[in-house]
Amino acid sequence: MSLLQVTNLTIGFPTRPRVVDGVSLSIETGEVIGVSGPSGCGKTTLALSLMGLLPADTDVSGSIRFSGRELREMHESDLEAVRGAQIGLVFQESALALNPVLTVGSQIADVVRAHERCSRAQATERARAALTEVGFGYERSRVFGAYPHELSGGQRQRILIAQATVCRPALVIADEPVASLDDASRADVLALIRGLTERFGTSFLLITHSAAVLASSADRVIEMSAGKVVERTRPARASVSLAASRMSKPAQIPAASEPIVEIIGLEKSYQRRRLFGTTEPAIKALNGIDLTIVRGSTVGLAGRSGCGKSTLARCIAALEQADAGEIRINGTDIARLGDRALLPYRNQVQIIFQDSSAALNPRFTALDIVSEAMVIQDIGTAVERRDRSAELMTQVGLSPDRLQSRPREFSGGERQRLAIARALAVSPRLLILDEAFSGLDLVTRERIVRLLIELQATHGLTYVCISHDIDLLARFTTNIVVMHEGQISAPSRSFVPEGAVA
């Protein structure tokens, strides 16, 4: 008997009747099954259905049997006992999956205490061990006591993996678990997956766009398209680079000589406070950053999770206030401007966040999301805003027929494209992409890269692209800056990969 047996599963939303269309699959004990396919093909919806986490208005038919039991017939209280203890889930977007008012260590320990009889001290020790397993090592004590907002996106993703595996469930559903991790952390997590299957017989349903991750980790691969299973393969165990498949290199835009952003001596620390006014040593996220971004260029920002990349991006976008230093945009130091004086610069700099779900209002339709800034600034008529929104959705590969769909009806990759469309709505001069490509399949990623290159040529845009994907940075950016522990450890430099045409 298979550990998991899915038979003729069909799932529909009110605005999309067949997101998953007659899917059947099985997973044996100790087996890693990879699920791949373009953004929006139904992968994440399939994963959520296995845990009984779909919205109440979802139409579901078919069978989901786990260890011989029909999950679709189980009462919610019985399902709660299965989640976490017998089936673990690693969500694609960590910002929504973690409770913002609890430390991450306590959230991992709570999973242990919810499903096993143990003392608080024993649960805490299990949680600390889980943090070590996902690669925190010497950082374990600091990370254990941190709140989610104090960690980078890649660090939060590792927390989710620790949370999903701490109780040694029989099956772990991992939705893009390594997409936002640096190479070292990604290798650690993939080694952890193989180790759990070998030591404990843990099975994995591994959802990813990366062919290299599938080739190095999966025993079988299921390819999905338009809600259906279109191919089943068995990848060869081979030494495959974990870098993403190479894209064709787009023609780079010659950079102008004048800077659009000048950063001088930028510093930012976070003071962690606890109950009763107690404080802990400050964490220095940025430590004397000097950086010039030339108008019309595409700057890549790389470095390990937690090195300060996203903090730097938020400071440039005036979403965080620096402790010291200058951020000059078109010659004006915005670090010292008040809210009203900042308004003219809000449109000039737009940021696309790593966790798209946390950045999109769940009550808004796609039309509301894309046109929100235009409404606030009274740009155009209602008809013109709708036409502009439809045009932007088409540009990023989303059907304008889905203008009335809400974020939960889009896949993770589709939500990322929706966030890009929203950022472009106000015609920014500088666009910051914080791991904006991590949830996209290669075809969609290349389409959006080419769109951004075309917009850069037409409108003279400047980009800062934050990514762990060195292959992407090499082929999309004109310069790469490497950060380490809040500092620039490698200077900005022109980067032309071997064999590419500059």
Side-chain angles (χ1 to χ4, degrees):
M1 181 177 62
S2 299
L3 178 67
L4 179 73
Q5 183 72 52
V6 177
T7 306
N8 198 29
L9 184 65
T10 299
I11 303 170
F13 296 124
T15 58
R16 297 181 65 194
R18 299 183 85 84
V19 179
V20 174
D21 192 356
V23 168
S24 297
L25 63 88
S26 64
I27 301 177
E28 308 300 325
T29 299
E31 189 176 33
V32 178
I33 300 297
V35 180
S36 187
S39 299
C41 70
K43 304 184 302 296
T44 297
T45 300
L46 170 64
L48 293 176
S49 71
L50 303 182
M51 299 284 284
L53 295 175
L54 293 173
D57 60 353
T58 307
D59 184 22
V60 183
S61 64
S63 173
I64 304 173
R65 299 189 69 83
F66 175 73
S67 294
R69 295 174 295 170
E70 179 58 55
L71 295 183
R72 293 199 54 231
E73 296 177 355
M74 293 179 67
H75 190 271
E76 177 63 23
S77 60
D78 295 325
L79 276 174
E80 288 177 355
V82 171
R83 298 177 190 133
Q86 300 175 52
I87 304 178
L89 176 61
V90 181
F91 289 94
Q92 183 173 347
E93 282 138 338
S94 58
L96 290 183
L98 294 171
N99 190 324
V101 300
L102 297 177
T103 63
V104 295
S106 67
Q107 292 185 59
I108 299 172
D110 284 346
V111 174
V112 179
R113 298 190 70 200
H115 297 289
E116 299 182 14
R117 291 185 176 181
C118 62
S119 65
R120 186 179 298 274
Q122 290 171 324
T124 296
E125 187 56 36
R126 288 274 297 278
R128 292 183 184 277
L131 290 176
T132 300
E133 285 184 335
V134 296
F136 281 109
Y138 72 93
E139 294 182 297
R140 187 180 71 171
S141 296
R142 178 184 70 82
V143 170
F144 184 91
Y147 290 91
H149 73 274
E150 297 175 318
L151 302 175
S152 70
Q155 290 173 323
R156 290 196 300 266
Q157 195 66 19
R158 282 190 277 168
I159 295 299
L160 292 186
I161 295 167
Q163 197 176 39
T165 59
V166 67
C167 285
R168 300 287 184 253
L171 172 65
V172 175
I173 302 167
D175 190 356
E176 292 286 2
V178 297
S180 59
L181 302 183
D182 58 82
D183 286 345
S185 298
R186 180 165 56 174
D188 288 343
V189 168
L190 294 178
L192 171 64
I193 289 174
R194 296 309 308 180
L196 290 173
T197 61
E198 293 167 2
R199 293 166 55 198
F200 304 106
T202 308
S203 301
F204 280 83
L205 184 70
L206 181 61
I207 299 173
T208 180
H209 289 303
S210 172
V213 169
L214 292 173
S216 65
S217 304
D219 299 307
R220 290 186 289 127
V221 175
I222 295 171
E223 183 78 19
M224 292 184 65
S225 178
K228 297 178 180 289
V229 174
V230 295
E231 186 178 6
R232 302 173 191 267
T233 61
R234 189 174 294 274
R237 278 284 180 264
S239 178
V240 181
S241 170
L242 290 180
S245 300
R246 293 192 177 274
M247 304 186 305
S248 57
K249 181 176 176 68
Q252 297 289 354
I253 307 303
S257 58
E258 69 274 10
I260 186 172
V261 178
E262 297 173 279
I263 298 171
I264 304 170
L266 199 66
E267 297 187 2
K268 176 66 178 177
S269 297
Y270 294 103
Q271 182 67 59
R272 296 170 58 184
R273 300 183 182 276
R274 294 294 182 259
L275 293 175
F276 311 113
T278 60
T279 61
E280 295 184 9
I283 299 172
K284 206 164 189 69
L286 300 177
N287 188 12
I289 295 289
D290 294 319
L291 179 64
T292 297
I293 301 173
V294 176
R295 190 182 309 277
S297 65
T298 302
V299 175
L301 196 56
R304 290 207 63 173
S305 298
C307 69
K309 304 186 299 298
S310 294
T311 299
L312 176 59
R314 290 194 296 269
C315 287
I316 296 173
L319 300 178
E320 295 271 5
Q321 185 171 6
D323 299 329
E326 299 180 8
I327 305 173
R328 295 188 174 274
I329 296 181
N330 292 324
T332 300
D333 183 10
I334 68 166
R336 297 295 172 262
L337 296 181
D339 290 341
R340 184 174 295 276
L342 269 175
L343 287 178
Y345 298 91
R346 293 295 189 187
N347 283 359
Q348 294 187 42
V349 181
Q350 291 288 303
I351 184 170
I352 299 170
F353 295 97
Q354 182 173 339
D355 290 309
S356 57
S357 283
L360 303 179
N361 190 323
R363 297 178 181 274
F364 278 14
T365 64
L367 173 60
D368 297 330
I369 289 168
V370 177
S371 64
E372 181 179 15
M374 292 186 281
V375 172
I376 291 172
Q377 299 179 38
D378 197 25
I379 299 174
T381 65
V383 173
E384 289 170 338
R385 291 193 291 266
R386 183 183 182 88
D387 290 344
R388 174 63 172 157
S389 299
E391 176 190 358
L392 287 168
M393 287 186 67
T394 300
Q395 285 183 342
V396 299
L398 294 174
S399 172
D401 294 339
R402 301 178 66 185
L403 281 172
Q404 297 304 317
S405 298
R406 301 186 189 278
R408 65 178 176 80
E409 299 175 57
F410 292 90
S411 70
E414 288 174 326
R415 286 194 294 268
Q416 201 70 344
R417 283 182 269 171
L418 193 60
I420 293 174
R422 178 179 65 177
L424 295 174
V426 291
S427 302
R429 311 312 303 163
L430 173 65
L431 189 59
I432 303 174
L433 305 146
D434 189 356
E435 289 286 359
F437 302 96
S438 62
L440 303 179
D441 59 89
L442 295 177
V443 173
T444 301
R445 187 178 73 172
E446 183 159 5
R447 181 190 300 132
I448 291 179
V449 165
R450 291 194 175 279
L451 167 65
L452 294 173
I453 291 294
E454 292 170 4
L455 292 171
Q456 188 176 53
T458 304
H459 304 291
L461 293 175
T462 304
Y463 300 126
V464 174
C465 182
I466 300 173
S467 179
H468 293 302
D469 189 337
I470 297 299
D471 183 76
L472 169 67
L473 294 180
R475 296 184 176 274
F476 177 44
T477 66
T478 50
N479 302 282
I480 294 180
V481 174
V482 180
M483 289 186 63
H484 178 69
E485 295 184 353
Q487 297 180 315
I488 293 178
S489 61
S492 176
R493 65 188 188 278
S494 297
F495 192 101
V496 180
E498 184 178 354
V501 179

